[in-house]
């Protein structure tokens, strides 16, 4: 996921790690912070693999050290498109990965944008189905007390409402992109 973000950002322009970190934090939102160690280890690996490279840069950071500025290589450009085409896995990172792919739509063809939106829609439909099935299980489970059951169902209703709002949003985007 971070590889895709870094490569996509460097497609726009060369930049240093601090700026990459700032943009990633803005993309993922204020409650989802990425550690510096995670980001810099991904940068180091991308550089080792020849997907990005350091370029000479004038100026210093606020600490007086020269900033390391990176740019994407031709191999990195190929890898960016390979990563963006990879279908979503249905796991905890899917939402963040969708945000990153969505933020890079300006690099993607119309057809690729539609494909990503459709993949995300499938993810949301699976999530909604899972929430509905879980709610049905909670309604029938004898191990859940009658005092607790309505509160658990309320949580599931909350999650399902958010999922349905996302589905409505993605349908609107598909409609706009499809026309």
């Amino acid at each position: 996921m971070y590889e895709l973000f870094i490569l996509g950002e460097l497609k726009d322009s060369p930049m240093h790690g601090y700026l990459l970190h700032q943009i990633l934090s803005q993309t993922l939102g204020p409650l989802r912070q990425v550690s510096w160690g995670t980001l810099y280890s991904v940068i180091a690996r991308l550089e080792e693999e020849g997907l990005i490279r350091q370029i000479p840069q004038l100026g210093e950071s606020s600490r007086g050290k020269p900033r390391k500025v990176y740019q994407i290589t031709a191999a990195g450009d190929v890898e960016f498109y390979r990563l963006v085409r990879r279908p979503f896995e249905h796991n905890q990172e899917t939402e963040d990965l969708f945000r990153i792919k969505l933020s890079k739509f300006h690099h993607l063809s119309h057809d690729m944008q539609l494909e990503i939106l459709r993949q995300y829609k499938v993810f949301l439909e699976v999530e909604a189905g899972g929430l509905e099935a879980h709610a049905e299980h909670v309604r029938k489970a004898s191990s859940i007390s009658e005092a607790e059951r309505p509160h658990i169902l309320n949580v599931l209703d909350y999650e399902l409402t958010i999922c349905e709002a996302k589905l409505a949003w993605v349908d609107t985007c598909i409609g706009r992109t499809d026309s």
Side-chain angles (χ1 to χ4, degrees), residues 45-136:
R45 188 170 37 78
L46 291 173
E47 190 175 15
E48 285 173 16
E49 293 172 1
L51 303 175
I52 65 174
R53 66 181 181 94
Q54 282 187 47
I55 58 173
Q57 180 67 24
L58 298 175
E60 299 176 342
S61 70
S62 59
R63 296 184 308 198
K65 294 169 57 176
R67 285 194 167 139
K68 293 180 180 178
V69 176
Y70 301 93
Q71 75 179 122
I72 193 167
T73 64
D77 194 60
V78 169
E79 180 67 2
F80 168 80
Y81 288 107
R82 187 189 73 75
L83 290 172
V84 85
R85 284 184 181 98
R86 188 179 342 172
F88 290 111
E89 293 181 25
H90 293 206
N91 59 35
Q92 292 179 330
E93 290 187 348
T94 302
E95 289 290 338
D96 288 345
L97 184 57
F98 176 69
R99 285 183 182 98
I100 289 170
K101 287 184 178 189
L102 188 62
S103 74
K104 303 301 162 220
F105 266 26
H106 61 288
H107 292 296
L108 306 179
S109 70
H110 177 79
D111 289 342
M112 182 53 60
Q113 291 175 14
L114 273 173
E115 180 60 29
I116 289 168
L117 290 169
R118 289 180 180 134
Q119 286 177 16
Y120 183 60
K121 181 178 179 177
V122 168
F123 164 75
L124 292 172
E125 290 169 341
V126 168
E127 183 179 25
L131 289 166
E132 290 167 350
H134 190 61
E136 189 58 32

Side-chain angles (χ1 to χ4, degrees), residues 1-2 24-25 28-34 92-93 96 99:
M1 171 175 63
Y2 301 125
L24 180 59
S25 294
L28 297 180
L31 300 179
R32 177 72 168 79
Q33 295 300 312
V34 177
Q92 292 179 330
E93 290 187 348
D96 288 345
R99 285 183 182 98

